[in-house]
Amino acid sequence: MAILITGGCGYIGSHTCIELLDAGHDIVVLDNYYNSKPEALRRVKELSGKEFPFYECDIRDAEGLRKIFAAHSIEAVIHFAGLKAVGESVQKPLEYFDNNVGGTITLLEVMREAGCKRMVFSSSATVYGMNNPSPLKETMPTGGVTNPYGRTKFMIEGILEDLCVSDPEWTAVLLRYFNPIGAHASGRIGEDPNGIPNNLMPYISQVAIGKLQKLSVFGNDYDTHDGTGVRDYIHVVDLAKGHVKAVEYAMKHPGAEAINLGTGTGYSVLDLVNAFQNVNGVPVPYVIAPRRAGDIATCYADPSKAKELLNWTAELDVNDMCRDTWRWQKQNPNGF
Ligand code: NAD
Ligand code: UD1
């Protein structure tokens, strides 16, 4: 029996492959390389010392998926594959709905044909929208999303919940990630964004290494301790370990369950900049810029449900996140 990892060549997927292999699971990986490179999985094999089957396949390709399910006994799917750039999703909504929502429906249809009815899905804290106060709890209302990317996550959560109602054999664990940053402690795998990064941590590390001149801090007049936006940054290796726990939980508990994966602690933009400078001894020049449209002041998790159901808590702190990001950036200035 094996676990199929869609999008396993990407940032979170590659780290999760390592943790699954280390925990003794057999994996099969698929990716269409839209936002990743084969080198990432070569390094996963190097770090884990293990081999596993890989398929270059699109989740919208039902025939390709059928071949994978016919060749392997798949007991559960961890579904990372998807497009994730918020700004791009506003420009290309149809591409986002087709790839994320359409692709997930095709995948679920093929899973049902094959009798594999367990999915761990990469959702996002974005489903909580703009109006819930932090700490965010799974019982709070979702929706009110502000962009097509967020809407795809909200829609897929609904599809999985409806599927679990229609057939009690289905299991769906909806993992709502907060802000994943950091890299594997080896410095061999990490986040490799295309072009100029949109997210804070990759931007900081590219400023630190001199690829970008300075960071723009989007707003210093929020209602937070220093006026800059507060987020729940979580180390990608902790996040990956959460997936191991979630897929093991999915083997035993049918039904749909939404679970936050965050640390429960918020850091501001300037907290993160200062931690990065202090831990790594490198300057990160910045300027204060206007607020970014669609941003909220504060967003952090109540992570108690993950502790209760999965026996999972984040273990690495913000200094680990900054140190590991910098090691990856220095060792791989141009990514993979
Ligand atoms: P990523 O882009 O690094 O990884 C996604 C992988 O999926 C890539 O390797 C890409 O090539 C592949 N892919 C995309 N479309 C595909 C398709 N149609 N068929 C097959 N493969 C396809 O992104 P990530 O940061 O590792 O994110 C993984 C998942 O987690 C995504 O669904 C993302 O929306 C979600 N998520 C990410 C974050 C974050 O901050 N990184 C936060 C919340 C949720
Ligand atoms: C963003 C997305 C969210 C997605 C997540 C992970 C938006 C509105 N939200 O979350 O849907 O799930 O990424 O991909 O895009 N910041 C700066 N300067 C920068 C970049 C960011 O000051 O150059 C600030 C932001 O204003 C924010 C914080 O840093 O306060 C974190 O930003 P970011 O890393 O983009 O994550 P989110 O906005 O939380």
Side-chain angles (χ1 to χ4, degrees), residues 84 86 124 126 147 149 179 198-201 203 215-218 229-231 233 269 292-296:
K84 64 163 186 177
V86 172
S124 165
T126 195
N147 55 73
Y149 164 75
N179 289 57
N198 294 308
N199 296 118
L200 179 60
M201 188 52 131
Y203 207 104
L215 171 73
S216 294
V217 175
F218 297 144
V230 167
R231 297 291 183 273
Y233 297 98
V269 176
R292 181 173 69 179
D295 275 355
I296 52 175

Side-chain angles (χ1 to χ4, degrees), residues 304-322:
S304 54
K305 188 172 176 185
K307 168 80 180 143
E308 199 183 309
L309 294 191
L310 308 181
N311 191 27
W312 173 91
T313 359
E315 287 168 354
L316 299 167
D317 66 17
V318 72
N319 293 333
D320 299 312
M321 300 179 209
C322 292

Side-chain angles (χ1 to χ4, degrees), residues 169 175 256 285:
E169 286 179 7
L175 295 179

Side-chain angles (χ1 to χ4, degrees), residues 280-295:
N280 298 317
V282 281
V284 179
Y286 65 85
V287 288
I288 304 296
R291 290 182 178 195
R292 181 173 69 179
D295 275 355

Side-chain angles (χ1 to χ4, degrees), residues 22-80:
D22 282 358
H25 292 285
D26 288 328
I27 62 170
V28 174
V29 178
L30 81 78
D31 204 297
N32 67 355
Y33 291 137
Y34 178 82
N35 195 36
S36 51
K37 301 199 184 84
E39 178 63 11
L41 285 186
R42 205 192 60 69
R43 295 191 188 182
V44 168
K45 291 181 179 175
E46 165 200 299
L47 289 167
S48 65
K50 292 183 178 159
E51 287 293 322
F52 49 85
F54 171 78
Y55 294 86
E56 185 171 346
C57 177
D58 193 297
I59 54 167
R60 292 164 294 181
D61 171 10
E63 269 316 304
L65 292 175
R66 283 192 188 103
K67 285 186 190 140
I68 299 173
F69 280 89
H72 304 277
S73 180
I74 306 289
E75 55 187 333
V77 175
I78 305 183
H79 179 31
F80 294 104

Side-chain angles (χ1 to χ4, degrees), residues 118 170-173 248-257 309:
R118 293 187 195 105
W170 274 96
T171 304
V173 183
E248 289 169 354
Y249 175 88
M251 304 293 182
K252 297 188 206 116
H253 301 87
E257 204 71 72
L309 294 191

